[in-house]
Every structure is written in structure tokens, then in C-alpha cells.
Amino acid sequence: MPDILLIAIIFIFGIVLGSFLNVLIYRIPKGENVAFPASKCQSCQTPLKWWHNIPILSWLLLKGECYFCNEKISMQYPLIEFITGLIAVLLYVKLGLVWYLPFVFVTFALLLALVMIDFKYMAIPDSLNLLALALAIIGPNMIDSLQYALMAAGGLALLRYYLSYFLNKEAMGEGDIIVAGTMGALLGFPHFFYALFLSAILAMIPSLLAKDKAVPFVPFLAIATFIVYLFDTQFETLAQWIMYG
């Protein structure tokens, strides 16, 4: 199969999953069933036809409006679908067509859902978080991945307890610890520390701009994890240069 055709198929698979991610992002924080009832317009509550749910294409054909009431449809929907498709393609380019590619892809897709939920609600659902962690462990070296997950989560949990004690307030959420486990399973060591350091850098400016307002940290952990996963060898080279010149 020509590589460009395979990439197109992987992208389509990605945007289809991205469409389902939109359902998870909308329904799970509200405690709604993710399978039933069928999708409906959030404004007029009219059930949508199948052709209203074609990823990206339906939003473009409908010009970003509901077919029934003409209310605007958030650009979040096609954007999440496109990003999920892009994640699928980038992971394929990185890993090739290996048996564990779907597990890595779904893990990062779930992290994307967590990013959106955390931005909106300042909370992350355990159901998605724990599923991402379980899938992150599945790979060519599952015993090692499990060990890295436990070490990363355990280390961050210990740090949380110490910081909370000395600051006399909650230093980080329990959800962050589960995400750290996912990071450890995906990246191993020392790449986990590269991602942790990068996430702190990424969060610095938003934290300064927010001043007294809380800033969700999971989005920066997830973004940093994806970057380090894709460019692991480059980060190794950079770390060697920093340490040894």
C-alpha cells in the first residue's frame, strides 16, 4: 500500500476517534452516558442525522451552524477531530506500523480529552485518566513500562505530600499523579524528567499571566509528554550537551 494512502487511512481513523473524543469531553463531566442517547444539537436539542456527524466535513458543509436552528457550532469540534487525526499520523511516522501503535495513539487521544476537560472544568475524570494509564503500559516492554509508571507516580505523590505539608495547602491534584504514571509508562527514564521540566517551562508564562488564578497543569504535562515522545533522541542529545558540553 502506498505510504500516502496509508497515512490518509490513519488520519481518517484518527478524526473518527476525535469525533468520539468530543462526545467524551462534553458528556463525561456532566455524568452523562457516552453511548446513549444519540448526538443532538446543544441549542435546539434536535437529534442529529448521521450525515451531521461526519468528522470535520459536516462542520464545513454546514458552515459551522446547526442544520435545524442555525445556531453556531463550536469550532472545538472540528479542531479536536483534526488534532486527533494529526496525532495519529505523527505517531505512525514516529513508530511505523507496529502492533502497539493503536494503544499509544489512544493513550495520547485520551490525554487530549483530559486537556480539554481540565481547561474547562479544572478537574479531570478518573475514568479517562486511569484508562490512559492502563493503555500506556501496553507495549513491547510492559514490565518496564509498569515499573516506570509506578516510579513516576510514586515520586510525584511523595513530592505532593511534602509540598502540601510545607506550603500548608494542596500542592497538586491526585489526577496529576495518575498522569505522571502515564508519562512514566510512555517515556521511561530519564525522558520522564525531560517532559516534567518542559511542562514546567510551558506552564510558566500562563501561570504568571494568571496571577492569583489557578492554572491547570495537566495540559502542560500532556503537551510536554507528546513533544518528548516524538523527539526523544533530540532531547537525549540536548541533555548530553547540557551536561558534558
Side-chain angles (χ1 to χ4, degrees), residues 13-231:
F13 176 78
I15 64 175
V16 169
L17 182 60
S19 182
F20 183 62
L21 282 190
N22 279 319
V23 175
L24 299 181
I25 292 166
Y26 180 77
R27 295 191 181 188
I28 285 184
K30 298 177 182 292
E32 298 178 359
N33 190 301
V34 299
F36 302 100
S39 298
K40 58 186 178 181
C41 173
Q42 297 174 24
S43 298
C44 65
Q45 302 300 305
T46 306
L48 303 180
K49 305 295 184 182
W50 69 267
W51 52 275
H52 296 151
N53 285 319
I54 302 173
I56 300 178
L57 188 59
S58 288
W59 190 90
L60 293 173
L61 292 175
L62 294 170
K63 298 179 181 178
E65 296 179 352
C66 172
Y67 177 80
F68 302 102
C69 66
N70 296 322
E71 281 293 318
K72 290 290 184 182
I73 302 172
S74 173
M75 195 173 180
Q76 170 190 312
Y77 293 97
L79 191 59
I80 291 297
E81 291 163 356
F82 177 79
I83 292 174
T84 311
L86 185 61
I87 289 172
V89 170
L90 290 175
L91 288 174
Y92 163 69
V93 172
K94 170 68 178 179
L95 299 173
L97 205 59
V98 294
W99 68 266
Y100 55 91
L101 174 62
F103 297 101
V104 177
F105 165 58
V106 175
T107 301
F108 278 112
L110 290 172
L111 286 177
L112 175 59
L114 293 176
V115 165
M116 298 305 298
I117 293 172
D118 200 22
F119 265 132
K120 188 170 184 178
Y121 298 98
M122 290 292 291
I124 49 178
D126 288 339
S127 56
L128 297 184
N129 210 1
L130 290 170
L131 179 57
L133 174 58
L135 292 175
I137 293 170
I138 301 175
N141 300 298
M142 284 187 272
I143 299 299
D144 289 344
S145 295
L146 178 59
Q147 290 177 337
Y148 291 140
L150 292 173
M151 291 167 63
L156 207 65
L158 190 61
L159 178 63
R160 170 184 178 241
Y161 290 134
Y162 272 101
L163 288 176
S164 298
Y165 176 78
F166 287 112
L167 297 174
N168 201 28
K169 64 178 181 179
E170 197 70 34
M172 64 182 73
E174 293 180 358
D176 296 344
I177 295 172
I178 300 174
V179 171
T182 302
M183 293 170 65
L186 287 169
L187 301 175
F189 290 94
H191 297 87
F192 168 77
F193 297 109
Y194 302 158
L196 204 59
F197 182 69
L198 179 60
S199 65
I201 294 175
L202 294 175
M204 191 176 301
I205 294 177
S207 299
L208 292 174
L209 293 175
K211 296 182 180 179
D212 295 331
K213 294 181 181 179
V215 175
F217 193 43
V218 166
F220 304 104
L221 290 173
I223 293 170
T225 301
F226 189 62
I227 293 172
V228 173
Y229 192 89
L230 290 181
F231 301 103

